[in-house]
């Protein structure tokens, strides 16, 4: 799990880095990233991810990574409805479901997938 897990973490970091550039123009002094996964507990990577992102960004903006140790569809709904997070990292099926309902901001015109393929 270590090799595949780390590859996934670095892939997430690449995507988040692009999103951070896009959200960097806002007036807030920081942002939160919410992560939930149906394949494991994302809290095992949250501190490392937060530290790596903060190091790349410097002191400002402040980065906070929030995770849910247990996968729960209701938890996703509550987090979306509360609107307290700037970036959501969800299982693909959940992300697509919320996207079909118009809940996600499309990055198709901004994100160059080929640039971040490994």
């Amino acid at each position: 799990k270590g090799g595949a897990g780390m590859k996934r973490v670095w892939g997430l970091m690449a995507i988040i880095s692009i999103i951070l550039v896009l959200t960097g123009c806002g007036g807030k002094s920081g942002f939160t990233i919410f992560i939930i996964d149906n394949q494991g507990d994302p809290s095992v990577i949250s501190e490392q991810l937060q530290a790596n992102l903060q190091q790349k960004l410097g002191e400002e903006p402040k980065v906070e990574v929030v995770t849910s140790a247990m996968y729960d569809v209701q938890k996703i709904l509550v987090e979306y409805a509360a609107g307290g997070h700037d970036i959501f990292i969800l299982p693909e099926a959940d992300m697509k479901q919320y996207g079909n309902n118009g809940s996600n901001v499309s990055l198709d015109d901004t994100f160059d997938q080929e640039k971040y393929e490994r």
Side-chain angles (χ1 to χ4, degrees):
K1 185 176 177 179
M6 286 307 294
K7 184 176 180 182
R8 188 172 182 184
V9 169
W10 292 115
L12 289 174
M13 285 184 63
I15 292 169
I16 291 171
S17 295
I18 295 297
I19 295 170
L20 295 180
V21 170
L22 297 174
T23 61
C25 300
K28 292 174 29 172
S29 64
F31 58 92
T32 63
I33 301 168
F34 176 76
I35 305 173
I36 191 169
D37 192 12
N38 58 2
Q39 300 288 316
D41 181 1
S43 65
V44 298
I45 63 156
S46 63
E47 286 183 29
Q48 179 186 0
L49 178 60
Q50 182 171 319
N52 289 348
L53 289 171
Q54 196 67 66
Q55 182 180 11
K56 285 183 179 249
L57 294 171
E59 289 185 29
E60 293 292 329
K62 291 292 182 193
V63 178
E64 181 182 6
V65 177
V66 179
T67 62
S68 178
M70 289 180 40
Y71 175 79
D72 184 356
V73 175
Q74 297 300 319
K75 175 72 172 170
I76 297 171
L77 178 63
V78 167
E79 295 294 337
Y80 254 109
H85 303 294
D86 300 292
I87 300 170
F88 284 81
I89 300 175
L90 310 174
E92 185 175 353
D94 294 310
M95 186 64 73
K96 286 180 178 179
Q97 177 184 350
Y98 281 95
N100 288 337
N101 295 331
S103 300
N104 303 331
V105 175
S106 175
L107 298 176
D108 291 343
D109 295 337
T110 308
F111 182 73
D112 181 4
Q113 185 174 352
E114 290 179 9
K115 186 174 181 178
Y116 295 95
E117 285 183 1
R118 291 184 179 231

